[in-house]
Amino acid sequence: APMRAVGVDLGEKRIGVAISDSDATLATPYEVLIRSGSREHDHAKIRAIVEEVEAELVVIGLPLSLDGTEGPAAKSARIEAGLIAEATQVPVQLQDERLTTVEAERILKEQGLDTQQRRQIIDKVAAAILLQAWIDGQ
């Protein structure tokens, strides 16, 4: 059954969040969370969004290496995904996000946004791209 999902793009300084519509066909950029220095605090914010939009699933970007292998970044994302699953109490899926940031950058440049404008929203756009890729793969 289709369900609403939240997409999460984990960055070192920021976490991009996207949401799908209720029947999980379209992903939309939603929010950029600035890392607080406390993972618990950050994950509580993600949980609040999951509850707010009544999502039943969280899709988290897995930063694979370009050759498809899992390096330290991917291992770190897997660990954090486990913590987010605990915090949100909903299932978590991992989605390959190798090219999402590149794609987000391209889209925002096409829309004529300057570097400053892009920086403020790129994380949630990347989250929407990875969530859309997950939806399209279902």
Side-chain angles (χ1 to χ4, degrees):
M3 54 175 117
R4 193 187 297 274
V6 165
V8 176
D9 181 58
L10 297 170
E12 276 176 44
K13 297 194 175 78
R14 290 181 296 274
I15 298 173
V17 182
I19 60 171
S20 78
D21 49 358
S22 57
D23 55 0
T25 50
L26 187 68
T28 312
Y30 190 66
E31 198 176 331
V32 176
L33 304 173
I34 308 296
R35 291 257 192 202
S36 65
S38 154
R39 271 188 174 182
E40 269 179 49
H41 180 79
D42 298 343
H43 298 170
K45 280 191 161 176
I46 295 171
R47 182 181 65 229
I49 292 171
V50 165
E51 288 171 359
E52 198 176 297
V53 304
E54 297 179 346
E56 297 165 76
L57 181 78
V58 177
V59 178
I60 296 177
L62 186 65
L64 297 171
S65 307
L66 285 176
D67 63 2
T69 56
E70 286 196 25
K75 287 189 177 67
S76 158
R78 269 191 192 280
I79 292 166
E80 190 163 10
L83 296 171
I84 290 169
E86 280 173 35
T88 58
Q89 296 292 300
V90 297
V92 162
Q93 299 254 348
L94 292 162
Q95 170 67 34
D96 175 8
E97 60 145 359
R98 272 174 285 186
L99 300 170
T100 53
T101 308
V102 176
E103 178 72 2
E105 188 79 42
R106 187 185 63 74
I107 290 169
L108 297 180
K109 271 187 182 149
E110 275 176 11
Q111 290 179 2
L113 299 181
D114 65 33
T115 311
Q116 186 59 38
Q117 292 168 320
R118 290 204 300 269
R119 193 173 293 137
Q120 286 168 353
I121 62 171
I122 190 158
D123 305 279
K124 63 183 177 181
V125 174
I129 291 168
L130 78 87
L131 180 54
Q132 192 66 53
W134 180 84
I135 289 169
D136 295 345
Q138 290 310 290

